[in-house]
């Protein structure tokens, strides 16, 4: 194992023996605009006390000198760890002079040159452990300390960090040295630096300066009024719930290019992907998703920043809470009434799928090392964890939940904590028994399957019961309680209406609902119809048949529950994919978040789960009709039009009529234009000259990425070979370029062109994992897996039992998905 892959055991030992008192970090980016310079100077001063004469400092870069209390000191550096011996058993200062390397993969200090104006922009991204790519430090979440940062850079640039600027001095012509106020004690992974000619808009909230930043070329897309509205609404709600904002006098939010994540909660300087600055009309669901992310990161100022997890196994202590708060506060404070609907139809579905994998894990996961931590930023930790918290809120009540949070923050402010610490704080605020809830929901993997059974006597219900079984892999948990609802629906004049809703708590293998005895027999029984719990809902055959035709009659949250149930039935082999696709076309779902998710699933059903081309043609034609029939200029029209363009890549037909204004009222936006040309390229119907002309009209960073995807989507073996070569070149492409190359390589309907790469994929897996940064390696492992690679993947796993655990996890998941697709195709092709 590389020394860069820190383990839980060794970092726990270091934490037991080393105390870090303070950091002073000086980073020099004055020459960042010179593309020939790949590195930058950095000085890191670490005040610490070690109980042992030897320890190590983490740094991935070039080390020039180490000084101990001002005197040169011997060290050993293996490329990831600086080993220092002869430490006095008292407070001392290590001063390390080094050079870090500018990143092109979104890890560490990322450097980006804007093709629109040639300007250079820098920002940092560290989680879980990439601060060591920028400055020497002790890289683990439980060794918190105050940081005093300084930046040297061009005097025309905005230079920023977690805290406000406190002083600046001119050090050379056009170069300034900017010093920032010390932080409160922080973990290394939430420190932050940014530099460049960023456009900045300012506002204020109760004496705290608010800032919004983006590249100058994107300033017209920075809808500052709305973003400040969301910011102040979120701060109002969260400070009322949890106490004063704990991070000083500023709250900057910066939108950055080539970002691997949605956002990152660096206190005082929160980073967001530029994808949240919409270049084309945004749907209501997209606007809510942005608000969700904004509030998610804001809630981290308490959950994760004020109190940090001691090790990554307790990652849920921050991410599940932030995920819950993102939806909850976007509804309660930001005006997005469909927040929980969007959660149910998108993020929660991802959690169900992840929890059905053979690699599923408890919300509180066993994380032995950093590589495992990297893949644990998943839908189980985020969305299943948030779903568990919704159960907890129903169980103890929202007031007790918030009071427990306040106690937890007061007890552990500016420190690290564990699950036991949070449960102790919550236990002090409720008389509910939490002893069984924790192991049932947080410490066991897998989820339950809930179904309804009853008898009908003389047109009335008798003996309605809710049955509970374990669904898929995981651990049986008879103590996992489900406090939820059951909706009884009846057809009236061919419209499905709610007749009554019953509360139920399922804490064993079944739960009876005597309150239903004697009520009129329903046409549909829908368990969990308000989506209060995390469980697969299995419909009885009559209910499913009615819902396939009448799902559109339900309220949005119930529709989301039904669509999820139908989709899991497809993946389980219980519902023919064509029936799901037909229901999507018939329902004409009006809620943009639900519709966007359905369109993605229907395309997967046609592409991966259907054995003949007729399904793709029917889906394409249905999408075309829906786009033409939708209200002019509506979000649904745009979503259906995009679905049509994607479908036409799989079932080819000329889509230029869309670009020519053939759909009345549809705005032919820049994003829709590129999607159309990517489809034409996939069909082999886009020349170099045509794609170059589209790029000339949108020669931006996004435009170049879209052009690269289109160019590599063409059905040409030589094009696929070049895409593969470029994506796999070590240090050759940026993270966004690798993503575009893989997307083009994986263009719809081109499995035959990818077949020759299958052998190369498996023989090269270990090298990919060893040679590339983990972010790029993960993309290559996922993006290169052959669509029919189940058997070959299983053989590779059998032949490589000692391969890195995280790599084996990714391959195992890809094999699982390929096996599901093969089973579904085989089952319905008979």
């Amino acid at each position: 194992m590389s020394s860069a892959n820190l383990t839980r055991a060794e970092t726990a030992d270091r934490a037991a023996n080393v105390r870090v008192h303070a950091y002073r970090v000086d980073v020099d980016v004055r020459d960042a605009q010179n593309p020939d310079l790949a590195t930058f100077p950095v000085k890191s001063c670490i005040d610490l006390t070690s109980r042992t004469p030897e320890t190590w400092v983490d740094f991935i870069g070039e080390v020039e000198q180490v000084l101990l209390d001002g005197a040169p000191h011997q060290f050993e550096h293996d490329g990831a760890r600086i080993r220092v011996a002869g430490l006095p058993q008292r407070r001392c200062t290590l001063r390390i002079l080094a050079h870090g390397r500018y990143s092109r993969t979104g890890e560490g200090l990322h450097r980006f040159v804007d093709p629109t104006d040639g300007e250079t922009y820098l920002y940092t991204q560290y989680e879980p452990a990439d601060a060591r790519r920028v400055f020497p430090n002790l890289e683990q979440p439980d060794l918190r300390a105050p940081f005093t940062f300084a930046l040297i850079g061009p005097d025309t640039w905005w230079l920023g960090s977690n805290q406000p600027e406190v002083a600046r001095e001119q050090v050379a012509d056009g170069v300034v040295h900017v010093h920032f106020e010390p932080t409160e004690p922080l973990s290394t992974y939430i420190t932050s630096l940014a530099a460049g000619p960023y456009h900045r808009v300012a506002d204020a909230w109760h004496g705290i300066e608010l800032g919004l930043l983006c590249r100058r070329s994107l300033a017209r897309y920075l809808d500052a009024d709305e973003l400040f509205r969301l910011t102040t609404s979120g701060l109002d709600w969260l400070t009322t719930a949890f106490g004063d904002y704990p991070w000083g006098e500023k709250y900057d939010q910066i939108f950055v290019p080539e970002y691997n994540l949605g956002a990152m909660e660096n206190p005082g300087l929160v980073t967001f992907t530029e994808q949240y600055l919409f270049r084309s009309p945004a749907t209501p669901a997209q606007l809510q998703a942005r608000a969700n992310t904004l509030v998610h990161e804001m809630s981290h100022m308490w959950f994760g920043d004020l109190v940090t997890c001691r090790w990554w196994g307790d990652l849920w202590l921050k991410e599940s809470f932030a995920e819950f708060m993102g939806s909850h506060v976007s509804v309660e404070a930001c005006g997005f009434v469909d927040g929980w609907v969007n959660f149910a139809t998108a993020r929660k579905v991802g959690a169900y799928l992840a929890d059905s994998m053979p690699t599923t894990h408890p919300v509180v996961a066993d994380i032995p090392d950093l590589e495992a931590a990297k893949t644990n930023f998943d839908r189980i930790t985020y969305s299943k964890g948030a779903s568990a918290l919704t159960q907890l809120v129903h169980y103890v009540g929202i007031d007790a939940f918030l009071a427990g949070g306040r106690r937890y923050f007061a007890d552990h402010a500016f420190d690290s904590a564990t699950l036991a610490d949070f449960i102790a704080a919550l236990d002090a605020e409720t008389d509910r028994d939490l002893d069984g809830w924790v192991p049932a929901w947080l410490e066991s993997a897998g989820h339950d399957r809930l179904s309804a059974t009853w008898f009908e006597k003389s047109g009335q219900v008798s003996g309605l019961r809710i049955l509970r079984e374990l669904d898929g892999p995981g651990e049986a948990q008879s103590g996992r309680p489900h406090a939820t609802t059951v909706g009884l629906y009846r057809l009236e004049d061919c419209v499905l209406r709610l007749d009554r809703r019953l509360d139920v708590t399922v804490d064993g293998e079944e739960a009876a609902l005597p309150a239903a005895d004697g009520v009129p027999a329903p046409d549909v029984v829908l368990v969990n119809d308000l989506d209060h719990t995390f469980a697969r809902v299995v419909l009885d055959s009559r209910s499913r048949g009615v819902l396939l035709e009448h799902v559109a009659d339900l309220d949005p949250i119930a529709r989301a529950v039904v669509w999820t149930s139908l989709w899991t039935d497809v993946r389980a082999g219980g519902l023919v994919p064509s029936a799901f696709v037909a229901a999507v076309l018939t329902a004409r779902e009006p809620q943009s978040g639900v519709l966007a998710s359905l369109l993605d699933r229907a395309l997967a059903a046609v592409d991966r789960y259907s054995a003949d081309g007729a399904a793709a043609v029917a889906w394409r034609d249905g999408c075309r009709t829906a786009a033409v029939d939708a209200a002019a200029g509506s979000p649904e029209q745009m979503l259906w039009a995009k679905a049509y363009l994607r479908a036409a890549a799989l079932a080819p037909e000329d889509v230029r009529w869309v670009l020519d204004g053939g759909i009345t009222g549809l705005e032919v936006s820049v994003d829709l234009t590129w999607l159309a040309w990517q489809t034409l390229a996939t069909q082999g119907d886009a020349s170099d000259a045509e794609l170059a002309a589209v790029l000339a009209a949108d020669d931006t960073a996004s435009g170049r990425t879209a052009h690269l995807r289109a160019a590599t989507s063409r059905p040409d073996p030589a094009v696929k070979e070049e895409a593969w070569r470029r994506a796999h070149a070590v240090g050759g492409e940026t993270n966004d370029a690798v993503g575009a190359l893989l997307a083009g390589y994986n263009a719809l309907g081109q499995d035959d062109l990818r077949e020759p790469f299958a052998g190369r994929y498996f023989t090269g897996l270990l090298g990919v994992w060893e040679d590339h940064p983990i972010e790029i390696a993960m993309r290559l492992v996922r993006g290169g897996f052959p669509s029919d690679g189940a058997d070959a993947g299983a053989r590779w796993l059998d032949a490589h039992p000692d391969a890195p655990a995280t790599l084996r996890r990714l391959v195992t998941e890809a094999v699982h998905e390929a096996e599901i697709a093969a089973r579904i195709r085989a089952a319905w092709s008979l």
Side-chain angles (χ1 to χ4, degrees), residues 224-235:
D225 289 345
E226 171 64 3
L227 291 168
F228 279 135
R229 182 190 74 81
L230 297 174
T231 301
T232 56
S233 297
L235 285 170

Side-chain angles (χ1 to χ4, degrees), residues 1 69 117 127 241 333 335 351 361 396 490 555 577 584 601 645 730 804:
M1 181 179 66
D69 291 334
D117 54 20
E127 191 175 36
H361 59 82
V396 304
R490 301 183 68 205
D555 291 336
V584 172
R601 288 175 216 153
L645 292 173
V730 177

Side-chain angles (χ1 to χ4, degrees), residues 444-473:
S444 61
H447 56 273
D448 294 331
R449 179 168 63 241
L450 300 179
S451 60
T453 182
W454 76 99
F455 301 101
E456 182 177 337
K457 292 183 178 180
S458 303
Q460 296 180 329
V461 172
S462 175
L464 177 60
R465 293 174 297 147
I466 307 304
L467 307 182
R468 173 193 164 279
E469 302 171 272
L470 181 67
D471 188 68

